[in-house]
């Protein structure tokens, strides 16, 4: 393997040099009843973003999916996405990157003072469950780690480009420790998220299938939805309904 992934993490690791999508493998393991396992790859050839978008995942990145079976209602599941972004941003900050969080699921590096940014990492959370209970959650986390920025799509950056190469083993260890801490203390997730948020205080445009909303992003709710102050009052957008969010 390109990296040695014997970690002292609260998860067991299944490592692949190359895989289609770690989320697909995680879904398989989850439906076999596994929990607290992380599928990790050096390269993905069929990486997925949200809403059927492609995720470019060349060798040198940190592409992982975490399987958990939390005892929560489906409405709380977005907190796991926020927890994954907090854990990722904190691990990236320890690696020397000025990582912030763009609601709902991007870890970005700010560029200038106008709310512009480059994307460092993305999160894709998938789940299965009943109305009142989650069966499993697969939190997919993709971090542009030791990759040249010109090998990535436009608008992307990497840990290499921002701060030099990172020890991926240590980075993953720290990310998983942080994630573990927040999943054990869900009430701490939103406050930690707020501290790292690039989006709060910004004037934004959110595109949804049902139409767009323009206004100032003022807060996130307990369940991770974004609160926007518009000309006609406050509106709340669930993460799952957001197709694009841009500063305006
Ligand atoms: P997203 O839908 O928010 O972002 C996808 C968009 O981001 C793409 O349309 C493209 O414009 C841009 N993009 C693609 N690749 C990259 C990249 N490497 N860096 C920066 N921008 C990029 C975000 O979706 C969720 C991504 C989750 C990826 C992880 S990797 C491990 C797991 N397995 C898997 O297949 N997906 C997740």
């Amino acid at each position: 393997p390109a990296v040695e992934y014997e970690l002292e993490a609260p998860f067991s690791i299944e490592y692949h040099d190359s895989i289609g999508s770690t989320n697909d493998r995680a879904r398989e393991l989850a439906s076999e009843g596994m929990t607290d396992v992380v599928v990790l790859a050096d390269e993905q050839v069929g990486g997925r973003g949200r809403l059927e978008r492609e995720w470019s995942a060349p060798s040198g990145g940190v592409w992982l999916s975490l399987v958990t079976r939390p005892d929560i209602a489906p409405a709380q599941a977005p907190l796991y996405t926020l927890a994954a972004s907090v854990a990722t941003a904190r691990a990236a900050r320890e690696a020397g990157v000025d990582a912030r969080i763009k609601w709902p699921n991007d870890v970005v590096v700010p560029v200038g003072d106008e709310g512009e940014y480059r994307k460092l990492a993305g999160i894709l959370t998938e789940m299965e469950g009943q109305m009142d209970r989650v069966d499993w959650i697969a939190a997919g986390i993709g971090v542009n780690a030791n990759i040249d920025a010109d090998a990535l799509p436009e608008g992307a950056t990497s840990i290499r480009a921002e701060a030099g190469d990172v020890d991926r083993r240590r980075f993953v260890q720290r990310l998983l420790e942080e994630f573990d801490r927040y999943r054990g203390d869900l009430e701490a997730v939103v406050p930690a998220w707020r501290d790292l948020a690039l989006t709060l205080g910004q004037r934004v445009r959110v595109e949804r299938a049902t139409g767009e909303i323009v206004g100032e992003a003022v807060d996130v709710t307990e369940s991770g939805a974004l609160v926007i102050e518009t000309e006609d009052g406050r509106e709340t957008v669930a993460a799952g309904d957001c197709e694009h969010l841009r500063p305006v």
Side-chain angles (χ1 to χ4, degrees):
V3 268
E4 187 55 62
Y5 274 113
E6 276 301 317
L7 298 182
E8 284 167 41
F11 299 91
S12 60
I13 310 278
E14 182 186 286
Y15 176 75
H16 300 257
D17 277 331
S18 181
I19 196 171
S21 157
T22 56
N23 258 49
D24 292 344
R25 178 65 183 142
R27 295 179 67 103
E28 252 171 52
L29 294 173
S31 48
E32 288 165 12
M34 300 271 289
T35 189
D36 289 7
V37 57
V38 171
V39 181
L40 178 67
D42 175 51
E43 167 194 74
Q44 290 181 125
V45 293
R48 296 189 280 118
R50 300 167 62 223
L51 310 166
E52 321 271 305
R53 294 192 281 243
E54 274 177 31
W55 183 258
S56 146
S59 170
V62 168
W63 322 118
L64 65 83
S65 302
L66 256 150
V67 180
T68 60
R69 299 179 173 276
D71 187 18
I72 58 168
Q76 280 185 298
L79 284 178
Y80 275 66
T81 304
L82 297 188
S85 10
V86 169
T88 305
R90 291 177 72 108
R93 295 185 76 82
E94 283 178 24
V97 179
D98 181 22
R100 304 280 298 276
I101 305 174
K102 174 178 171 272
W103 186 87
N105 67 328
D106 288 341
V107 176
V108 300
V109 178
V111 180
D113 304 324
E114 309 278 307
E116 295 301 320
Y117 56 84
R118 294 202 180 93
K119 193 150 149 178
L120 181 75
I123 320 281
L124 171 70
T125 312
E126 298 180 297
M127 58 178 266
E128 213 157 87
Q130 290 80 45
M131 289 295 283
D132 58 337
R133 203 73 6 248
V134 162
D135 185 13
W136 52 258
I137 290 181
I141 303 178
V143 189
N144 301 326
N146 301 338
I147 304 173
D148 290 338
D150 59 16
L152 292 165
E154 215 184 306
T157 191
S158 64
I159 295 180
R160 172 178 285 173
E162 300 292 331
D165 281 3
V166 69
D167 174 347
R168 282 186 285 174
R169 186 175 171 283
R170 184 171 160 67
F171 178 84
V172 171
Q173 167 101 36
R174 287 295 302 127
L175 190 161
L176 295 179
E177 283 168 2
E178 290 288 323
F179 183 85
D180 188 49
R181 160 177 157 203
Y182 286 106
R183 73 167 171 169
D185 186 8
L186 285 182
E187 284 179 9
V189 172
V190 169
W193 187 91
R194 281 197 192 102
D195 281 347
L196 290 165
L198 183 68
T199 310
L200 295 185
Q202 275 185 350
R203 209 179 138 69
V204 297
R205 167 178 293 127
V206 176
E207 290 166 25
R208 303 170 300 176
T210 51
E212 63 175 36
I213 302 183
V214 179
E216 187 188 337
V218 290
D219 203 6
V220 277
T221 67
E222 283 168 14
S223 58
L226 188 68
V227 182
I228 300 178
E229 187 86 59
T230 73
E231 286 180 351
D232 311 315
R234 290 197 162 195
E235 295 231 36
T236 302
V237 187
D241 294 335
C242 170
E243 290 174 359
H244 287 287
L245 175 147
R246 291 193 182 87
V248 288

